[in-house]
Amino acid sequence: MKFAYRFSGLLGTVYRRGNLSFTRDGSSLISPVGNRISVFDLKNNKCETFPLATRLNIVCVGLSPDGSLAILIDEEGAALLVSLIGKCVIHHFYFHKPVHSVSFSPDGKKFVITKDNVALMYHAPGKKREFNAFVLDKTYYGPYDETTCIDWTDDSKCFAVGSKDMSTWVFGAERWANLIYYSLGGHKDVIVACFFEENSLDLYTISQDAALCVWQCDTELDGLKSMPPKKAAREKDAAGDDEEFLEEPKGEEIHGKANPSEQETREKVKYSRVAKYFFNKEGDFNNLTCAAYHKKTHLLVTGFASGIFHLHELPDFNLIHSLSISDQRIASVSINCTGDWIAFGCSGLGQLLVWEWQSESYVLKQQGHFNSMVSLAYSPDGQYIATGGEDGKVKVWNTSSSFCFVTFTEHASGVTAVTFTSNGYVILSASLDGTVRAFDLHRYRNFRTFTSPRPSQFSCLAVDSSGEIVSAGSQDSFEIFIWSMQSGRLLDVLSGHEGPISSLSFNPMKCVLASASWDKTVKIWDMLESWRTKETFIFNSDVLVVAFRPDGKELAVAALNGQITFWDHESAVQTGSIEGRHDLQMGRKELDKITAKQSAKGKSFTTLCYSADGQSILAGGLSKFVCIYNVKEQILMKKFEISCNFSLDAMEEYLDRRKMTEFGSMALIDGGAGDEDGVAIPLPGVKRGDMSYRHFKPEIRVTCLRFSPTGRSWAATTTEGLLIYSLDSGLIFDPFELDIDVTPSNIRKTLHQKEYTKAIVMAFKLNEKKLIQEVIEAVPSDEVDVVCSSLPDLYVEKVLEFLASAFEISCHLEFYLIWAHKLLMLHGQKLKTRSVKLLPVIQFLQKSIQRHFEDVSKLCEWNIYNIKYALAISQQRGMKRLAEEPSEDEENLDSDSDYLMQEVS
């Protein structure tokens, strides 16, 4: 088995914090998700997470006007320049301080970032290769407090910057003779957003107390005069040599004054406030959190802390509509280029919404689990993933589109386990609310609820291979409950354990149930012998998780001492063990008194999962690493680092001494309380802000691991969300029985001679995907039957695996279906004898065909409906024309009507 798995997707989390941005064409939305970015393709209904990450959570994203570059900036001011086309990092840069916003100029030549009380303008990275992509051009001073927002004029001549000191500053991107800087007041709270009118210097400013000021400029954009060269050089030389910022070459400095003298304002641009409007002040409306403005349609969208948004038309401030989309604060809002779609992000609940305001309908509505995810399960065909979270919700995700398409909210407490039945249409979930619920994926409803005679908190769940027997383990009564899926009745209560039941697993091939408990035992129960205890395995420490191999011949057990042991449950003999505690490689939490090395001694694996072929086992726990072991050799094959996000706790092996003081760790100081909603320091008598708010860092952990039945990917539920790792065949050159005569030129020569079977065998020996595709697609469709019958048995499996992967990308649907049909018909009996080994390949093929079947069947149904509609319309028109046609003589009329009736029928 090859271990070229790489990160391919992040599900379960759609938005964390930071600004949302639409792409240039307006059909895709870029959302920051922790320290990664996800791109939601709204037209094709797909989501993709880029395989790159920052060191901390992303707080602002800036897109270049041509849509090819993005600047991602994290909490500490470290920036990545990213190519959105190549999906790779081009350049790293450090701004030394937290950055509040970033914006490219409309011409793409400059970009401005705001940090502290300054605005820094950089030359934008060009199309050519550069040693340093970020070159500082100018530094703008003026505001007394932190800068918050940026907006550019359409011709890139000027930009406006809002500040927490309630002022807005207009700066010239160049030194204009009549505009270098201009300060605007008029507000009583923090400036949230400022926007220029289209092709104008007229400005709108919006403050947190829900006030909008309209500013009119006495000069048009064309009226900005260039400064005479001599004066510009003189002013440039007069700029101070203050070395306060150390980014790169310092560039030019522009120092703005809030109250310039009369001489300085003579013959300069002047602003006057022509209107001031207030939003509805009822309830919590006055706490405005974000805003966006579409210049062409003059549409202003404002979001509030109460989850309500307003749509206004400017400059007359006409309210179009007002709606509540959440009960949490709206953290970010964005409008696409056409002005039709509005995106909202709510960081409190992790919601992402795209609203079409004209039709008043959702284009996208996604939300992750409010609290952390606890468990996951793959559907038998690998097409869907079900997740259960501490918020009591069960969500079902499509692995192809990465979207959640149904959420079940029936549980009243946290979900501890989820699983699919063998047919893939029923999801079972166990919860701490004392119920096990069965959900139907056809009608999306809870059709069975299993309960125990006495209220019990269920900690684990298992269903047998037939889907008829459901079992759940209790963590307070130490019993295992068995129900019938058909009738919903309680069949049996298995007693014997003396501690909470931690894990259950049914043997895929036999009617045998394995149960693990904190009483340091694993019990094997035989369903055919009235649930009699067949075997009891005794361990030296509490047992946390148990898992059967896909062929049912081996049992893996993880205990609290960090060991993974393997058992032959038939003969009750231990076949091997892995000492995995050191492989977990724990991190040290900020408030830990002991080192990571010492704390790792008390840690262990909390989740296990066999690979689809049973040769390897995945293991994870309270660590940022997932380990994959070879079962036969009992050695560590690979360690996957699931996160590099230092915004999470327990990521570092050693504590940073710079954060330690004589009074202890600086992490103990709750400096972030009330950052977003109110006051930082709770002063006496202050009623704003949530006084119970506490700043905390979630701890990195892996709660559940599952291998896809297709064997092509595996998934992990972690603190960051649901991570998918897929097999990347492009990373490895893996020839099969290669000899000296197998070359691409010889394969094409054989193909040209119409020796198709020999060419296919040679192509699979070289094992290059593009060459295999070229050879298979060169076989005429009428020759497929002959080629399939003459294929050696060894290569049938390889052709099936290739067909399954080709179905996902190829447009030759009928051609590949012929191949699959002929292979299965001709070699079906021989394949059946190796069914256990071939199961992942067959399931992969089934998943690919099923997805196409669903897409094509929907299209066919739609086409049938359209054809029927067109026929009905044509019949009506034909009858109408017949009735209205003037008759010259009765014979012609009769003959015409007979002809028309024949045509219609």
Side-chain angles (χ1 to χ4, degrees):
M1 181 178 178
K2 303 297 172 185
F3 297 98
Y5 288 94
R6 63 178 177 88
F7 174 80
S8 65
L10 173 63
L11 284 70
T13 313
V14 290
Y15 175 74
R16 282 273 169 83
R17 60 178 294 194
N19 62 303
L20 299 168
S21 310
F22 276 100
T23 51
R24 188 186 177 191
D25 60 358
S27 64
S28 296
L29 179 68
I30 295 177
S31 169
V33 184
N35 65 335
R36 303 178 186 272
I37 56 166
S38 292
V39 180
F40 294 87
D41 186 343
L42 302 171
K43 286 193 173 171
N44 297 318
N45 197 40
K46 281 193 174 180
C47 169
E48 181 185 11
T49 305
F50 281 13
L52 49 92
T54 55
R55 195 170 173 271
L56 297 162
N57 286 335
I58 295 168
V59 291
C60 45
V61 178
L63 290 186
S64 63
D66 62 358
S68 61
L69 296 175
I71 296 173
L72 316 178
I73 305 175
D74 70 18
E75 291 167 340
E76 287 186 355
L80 295 181
L81 178 66
V82 171
S83 165
L84 295 177
I85 299 164
K87 299 168 191 171
C88 59
V89 177
I90 298 170
H91 186 67
H92 293 258
F93 193 76
Y94 188 39
F95 289 112
H96 298 286
K97 295 277 181 73
V99 173
H100 304 112
S101 54
V102 57
S103 178
F104 275 87
S105 62
D107 62 7
K109 292 180 180 176
K110 304 280 175 71
F111 71 88
V112 172
I113 64 113
T114 59
K115 70 172 191 180
D116 284 347
N117 62 338
V118 298
L120 303 171
M121 185 162 73
Y122 287 83
H123 292 287
K127 299 284 189 276
K128 61 183 185 297
R129 294 178 181 178
E130 295 163 301
F131 179 69
N132 183 11
F134 289 21
V135 179
L136 183 63
D137 182 25
K138 292 183 182 68
T139 305
Y140 296 88
Y141 296 88
Y144 295 108
D145 205 342
E146 290 182 355
T147 45
T148 55
C149 53
I150 310 164
D151 192 53
W152 285 85
T153 54
D154 287 346
D155 60 0
S156 306
K157 288 182 178 178
C158 303
F159 64 92
V161 173
S163 170
K164 285 187 178 179
D165 67 1
M166 300 174 281
S167 66
T168 306
W169 292 74
V170 181
F171 292 110
E174 303 296 334
R175 278 183 173 272
W176 305 109
N178 52 346
L179 176 60
I180 298 171
Y181 62 86
Y182 198 99
S183 175
L184 303 168
H187 284 282
K188 296 179 182 177
D189 209 337
V190 175
I191 305 296
V192 172
C194 52
F195 305 108
F196 282 104
E197 190 53 271
E198 188 180 19
N199 297 318
S200 170
L201 279 170
D202 294 349
L203 191 67
Y204 303 107
T205 56
I206 302 163
S207 61
Q208 196 171 298
D209 61 352
L212 167 71
C213 288
V214 183
W215 303 90
Q216 193 169 24
C217 185
D218 64 353
T219 310
E220 292 296 319
L221 280 170
D222 298 336
L224 293 174
K225 302 168 190 170
S226 298
M227 193 175 280
K230 286 184 181 177
K231 190 178 177 186
R234 197 162 56 247
E235 290 209 7
K236 202 168 183 178
D237 292 338
D241 297 326
D242 191 9
E243 292 293 334
E244 187 179 346
F245 293 92
L246 308 170
E247 273 84 10
E248 281 302 312
K250 245 185 92 174
E252 190 182 345
E253 284 190 4
I254 294 173
H255 291 263
K257 295 178 186 175
N259 298 306
S261 63
E262 194 175 325
Q263 186 181 350
E264 288 176 314
T265 58
R266 196 175 299 138
E267 295 183 2
K268 295 281 171 72
V269 163
K270 287 185 175 60
Y271 275 90
S272 58
R273 193 176 76 189
V274 293
K276 187 171 184 179
Y277 301 107
F278 294 93
F279 294 85
N280 189 354
K281 285 199 169 183
E282 290 177 17
D284 204 18
F285 277 153
N286 57 344
N287 197 357
L288 190 146
T289 54
C290 54
Y293 180 61
H294 191 260
K295 296 181 182 182
K296 288 179 182 173
T297 56
H298 307 285
L299 193 71
L300 175 71
V301 187
T302 46
F304 294 86
S306 57
I308 288 171
F309 77 91
H310 287 183
L311 228 65
H312 285 89
E313 189 181 15
L314 295 182
D316 300 325
F317 201 66
N318 298 325
L319 180 66
I320 297 170
H321 67 221
S322 172
L323 283 169
S324 174
I325 56 165
S326 177
D327 55 0
Q328 296 276 334
R329 71 190 292 274
I330 299 173
S332 178
V333 61
S334 179
I335 309 177
N336 75 340
C337 57
T338 60
D340 296 327
W341 293 345
I342 305 165
F344 299 97
C346 303
S347 54
L349 291 173
Q351 285 178 313
L352 185 64
L353 310 163
V354 179
W355 175 259
E356 189 171 48
W357 65 274
Q358 286 166 322
S359 64
E360 297 191 14
S361 60
Y362 286 112
V363 177
L364 172 76
K365 189 177 183 183
Q366 290 286 302
Q367 180 182 340
H369 287 278
F370 176 60
N371 292 331
S372 57
M373 275 187 259
V374 176
S375 59
L376 79 110
Y378 267 100
S379 63
D381 60 1
Q383 202 165 353
Y384 306 119
I385 295 177
T387 58
E390 288 177 359
D391 57 358
K393 291 178 181 174
V394 175
K395 289 178 174 283
V396 189
W397 308 82
N398 188 315
T399 54
S400 303
S401 68
S402 299
F403 281 129
C404 170
F405 62 91
V406 63
T407 302
F408 299 108
T409 58
E410 279 80 2
H411 283 295
S413 188
V415 176
T416 53
V418 290
T419 186
F420 276 88
T421 56
S422 54
N423 62 9
Y425 297 122
V426 175
I427 295 172
L428 288 150
S429 62
S431 170
L432 296 174
D433 64 2
T435 63
V436 172
R437 294 179 184 269
F439 302 100
D440 181 5
L441 280 185
H442 283 306
R443 297 178 182 84
Y444 301 139
R445 63 188 180 94
N446 174 205
F447 70 94
R448 285 270 189 282
T449 303
F450 307 102
T451 55
S452 54
R454 294 182 304 280
S456 296
Q457 291 187 313
F458 296 121
S459 57
C460 50
L461 176 71
V463 62
D464 76 330
S465 54
S466 67
E468 288 300 315
I469 303 297
V470 180
S471 66
S474 168
Q475 67 179 30
D476 43 14
S477 66
F478 314 155
E479 294 169 326
I480 301 165
F481 298 91
I482 310 290
W483 296 275
S484 163
M485 175 71 84
Q486 199 79 35
S487 63
R489 281 185 178 181
L490 181 68
L491 300 177
D492 211 338
V493 179
L494 310 183
S495 303
H497 282 294
E498 297 169 7
I501 313 297
S502 54
S503 180
L504 292 173
S505 180
F506 265 104
N507 188 321
M509 299 299 165
K510 293 181 181 178
C511 304
V512 169
L513 174 70
S515 63
S517 171
W518 291 7
D519 64 1
K520 303 181 183 178
T521 64
V522 170
K523 290 182 182 290
I524 308 293
W525 312 81
D526 196 332
M527 187 171 74
L528 298 177
E529 295 182 19
S530 304
W531 294 107
R532 188 174 60 83
T533 308
K534 199 174 175 186
E535 292 289 348
T536 300
F537 305 138
I538 300 170
F539 294 83
N540 295 326
S541 60
D542 298 3
V543 184
L544 301 178
V545 61
V546 65
F548 272 105
R549 202 166 69 183
D551 62 2
K553 291 179 181 175
E554 189 176 74
L555 185 70
V557 179
L560 195 61
N561 59 5
Q563 273 195 340
I564 302 172
T565 52
F566 301 97
W567 297 78
D568 180 350
H569 68 92
E570 291 286 342
S571 57
V573 174
Q574 184 177 333
T575 56
S577 70
I578 294 169
E579 189 66 52
R581 185 188 294 148
H582 301 295
D583 299 327
L584 264 175
Q585 205 169 328
M586 296 293 300
R588 184 172 177 178
K589 288 190 264 184
E590 285 185 338
L591 303 179
D592 274 356
K593 302 294 183 193
I594 57 172
T595 61
K597 194 174 181 181
Q598 289 296 323
S599 66
K601 289 180 180 177
K603 303 299 179 186
S604 55
F605 293 115
T606 56
T607 176
L608 289 179
C609 176
Y610 274 98
S611 60
D613 58 6
Q615 292 177 17
S616 311
I617 194 163
L618 278 170
L622 300 179
S623 163
K624 63 177 177 178
F625 290 104
V626 169
C627 304
I628 188 161
Y629 294 97
N630 184 298
V631 176
K632 191 178 179 183
E633 303 294 334
Q634 295 166 21
I635 56 170
L636 178 69
M637 300 296 292
K638 190 175 175 65
K639 274 166 79 168
F640 296 94
E641 188 176 6
I642 56 164
S643 177
C644 59
N645 187 358
F646 284 85
S647 294
L648 302 172
D649 208 358
M651 286 293 294
E652 297 181 85
E653 194 172 345
Y654 303 102
L655 287 186
D656 189 346
R657 290 290 167 194
R658 290 172 295 181
K659 293 177 183 175
M660 298 299 287
T661 66
E662 56 183 309
F663 307 108
S665 172
M666 289 178 72
L668 289 165
I669 303 166
D670 198 11
D675 263 354
E676 313 242 330
D677 298 318
V679 290
I681 303 167
L683 299 172
V686 175
K687 293 181 181 177
R688 279 180 59 193
D690 181 3
M691 303 301 280
S692 66
Y693 178 86
R694 292 293 177 271
H695 180 74
F696 73 98
K697 290 171 80 171
E699 184 185 346
I700 184 71
R701 62 173 61 191
V702 179
T703 50
C704 190
L705 291 166
R706 289 292 179 267
F707 234 99
S708 169
T710 62
R712 307 287 299 178
S713 62
W714 57 269
T717 51
T718 69
T719 313
E720 286 209 298
L722 176 61
L723 304 175
I724 309 287
Y725 284 79
S726 298
L727 193 62
D728 184 11
S729 54
L731 284 176
I732 47 173
F733 172 62
D734 183 26
F736 176 74
E737 295 184 354
L738 190 64
D739 56 46
I740 199 165
D741 296 327
V742 179
T743 61
S745 56
N746 281 354
I747 292 169
R748 290 188 178 97
K749 195 175 175 182
T750 309
L751 192 64
H752 187 67
Q753 293 167 356
K754 297 187 178 181
E755 296 179 30
Y756 300 119
T757 307
K758 188 179 176 183
I760 289 170
V761 170
M762 287 172 73
F764 274 103
K765 281 184 177 180
L766 195 60
N767 208 7
E768 282 192 10
K769 199 166 183 181
K770 286 186 178 176
L771 193 60
I772 294 169
Q773 185 177 343
E774 184 187 327
V775 171
I776 284 184
E777 288 182 1
V779 178
S781 56
D782 54 349
E783 294 275 340
V784 172
D785 200 352
V786 178
V787 173
C788 286
S789 60
S790 59
L791 260 182
D793 291 346
L794 192 61
Y795 291 91
V796 172
E797 180 188 338
K798 291 187 174 295
V799 175
L800 282 172
E801 192 171 350
F802 169 78
L803 292 176
S805 60
F807 269 120
E808 293 191 323
I809 51 170
S810 178
C811 55
H812 305 300
L813 190 57
E814 188 186 358
F815 180 71
Y816 282 122
L817 280 170
I818 293 168
W819 268 97
H821 180 254
K822 296 295 181 189
L823 278 173
L824 293 171
M825 290 298 288
L826 291 166
H827 299 273
Q829 288 298 322
K830 290 177 184 175
L831 293 172
K832 202 171 181 180
T833 58
R834 293 181 290 146
S835 59
V836 175
K837 190 184 174 187
L838 288 174
L839 193 61
V841 176
I842 300 297
Q843 285 177 327
F844 184 30
L845 185 67
Q846 183 192 354
K847 175 191 171 183
S848 303
I849 294 173
Q850 181 69 25
R851 190 169 61 82
H852 280 297
F853 171 72
E854 287 173 4
D855 292 344
V856 173
S857 61
K858 284 176 188 173
L859 192 65
C860 290
E861 284 171 13
W862 177 246
N863 287 343
I864 289 166
Y865 170 77
N866 282 341
I867 290 165
K868 284 181 179 177
Y869 178 75
L871 280 170
I873 291 293
S874 65
Q875 283 181 6
Q876 283 182 359
R877 285 184 179 172
M879 299 295 280
K880 196 175 179 182
R881 199 183 298 118
L882 186 65
E884 291 175 356
E885 208 170 78
S887 57
E888 291 179 9
D889 57 80
E890 286 183 14
E891 286 181 14
N892 288 346
L893 182 64
D894 287 340
S895 61
D896 285 344
S897 63
D898 288 340
Y899 175 75
L900 271 169
M901 287 302 286
Q902 283 173 6
E903 283 292 307
V904 170
S905 61

